[in-house]
């Protein structure tokens, strides 16, 4: 503050305690790290499609499951569809369109083709969210890499068919255990 001659008479200022804001930011960052770890451990990715604008968002784990590098830039729904196995693509597209039209959810398994020609099996679930006015807003969901489980199921069916018996399967946190009961064991 200056007087009539322009000499400084006082200094005025405003301070604000931003401690709470910094603490909130730290909590959000910690939550984000925990969520990222959970996605990695569960082979689980998240995705979202805007109904009105078609905008697509996905988590880094989704990108890993679909083998879309972070250097690929913005991912679109068409990019994702292009990676879905040709025999599954139309079924997935119809399922998504049905959810948008009917306002329900979906639960589907399909395959993803990798750049090297390899295939991943994924489980995908999604649901429609509405905005505050009840209009269809976005489709949100998860994708989980279930390749190990699908390969174990295929191996189990093959073993059962070869031995002509019944098979049981148990899914454990770190793998799949199965037992084939053949006619040799039962004496049939």
């Amino acid at each position: 503050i200056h007087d009539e001659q322009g000499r400084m008479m006082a200094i005025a200022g405003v301070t604000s305690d931003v401690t709470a804001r910094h603490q909130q930011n730290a909590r959000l960052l910690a939550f984000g790290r925990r969520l990222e770890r959970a996605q990695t451990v569960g082979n689980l990715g998240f995705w979202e499609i805007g109904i009105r604008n078609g905008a697509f968002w996905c988590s880094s784990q989704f990108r890993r499951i679909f083998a879309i590098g972070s250097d690929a830039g913005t991912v679109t729904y068409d990019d994702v569809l292009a990676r879905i196995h040709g025999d599954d693509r139309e079924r997935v597209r119809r399922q998504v369109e049905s959810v948008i039209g009917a306002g329900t959810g979906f639960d589907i398994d399909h395959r993803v083709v990798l750049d090297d020609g390899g295939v991943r099996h994924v489980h995908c679930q999604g649901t429609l969210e509405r905005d505050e006015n009840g209009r269809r807003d976005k489709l949100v969901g998860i994708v989980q890499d279930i390749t190990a489980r699908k390969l174990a199921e295929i191996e189990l069916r093959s073993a059962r068919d070869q031995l002509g018996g019944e098979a049981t399967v148990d899914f454990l946190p770190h793998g799949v255990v199965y037992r084939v009961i053949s006619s040799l064991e039962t004496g049939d």
Side-chain angles (χ1 to χ4, degrees):
I1 301 176
H2 297 85
D3 64 12
E4 293 92 25
Q5 283 89 28
R7 293 183 298 230
M8 188 173 5
M9 302 291 293
I11 297 176
V14 176
T15 61
S16 178
D17 184 357
V18 294
T19 304
R21 185 180 314 154
H22 284 287
Q23 290 171 339
Q24 179 67 19
N25 285 342
R27 284 191 296 271
L28 286 172
L29 287 172
F31 178 78
R33 286 190 297 272
R34 285 192 300 271
L35 181 59
E36 188 69 30
R37 278 194 307 269
Q39 287 184 75
T40 301
V41 169
N43 275 329
L44 190 72
F46 298 102
W47 55 267
E48 183 175 294
I49 304 170
I51 301 297
R52 290 187 285 278
N53 62 12
F56 184 83
W57 174 88
C58 62
S59 67
S60 59
Q61 188 66 7
F62 179 100
R63 284 175 171 266
R64 191 202 64 74
I65 292 168
F66 272 74
I68 301 171
S70 57
D71 59 339
T74 302
V75 178
T76 67
Y77 177 57
D78 288 336
D79 296 332
V80 173
L81 283 175
R83 289 196 176 265
I84 294 175
H85 192 283
D87 293 343
D88 299 341
R89 190 175 301 126
E90 191 55 35
R91 179 173 53 92
V92 171
R93 184 192 320 267
R94 279 193 317 267
Q95 187 79 44
V96 169
E97 289 172 0
S98 173
V99 168
I100 292 170
T104 60
F106 71 92
D107 188 329
I108 191 170
D109 291 349
H110 64 83
R111 294 164 291 174
V112 175
V113 180
L114 308 177
D115 290 335
D116 65 3
V119 174
R120 283 200 178 119
H121 295 265
V122 298
H123 175 73
C124 189
Q125 286 181 265
T127 188
L128 183 73
E129 288 191 354
R130 297 180 181 275
D131 66 15
E132 60 278 354
N133 297 317
R135 293 181 304 215
R136 293 177 175 101
D137 186 39
K138 56 188 164 187
L139 196 57
V140 298
I142 59 97
V143 64
Q144 184 174 30
D145 184 345
I146 59 168
T147 304
R149 185 185 89 199
K150 284 293 188 180
L151 293 177
E153 289 172 3
I154 291 167
E155 188 177 326
L156 174 61
R157 278 193 296 277
S158 175
R160 182 185 61 217
D161 292 345
Q162 287 177 4
L163 295 174
E166 296 179 24
T168 59
V169 65
D170 292 315
F171 294 99
L172 302 175
H174 299 289
V176 178
V177 176
Y178 62 88
R179 179 166 188 252
V180 176
I181 304 169
S182 72
S183 57
L184 297 173
E185 288 181 292
T186 61
D188 295 335

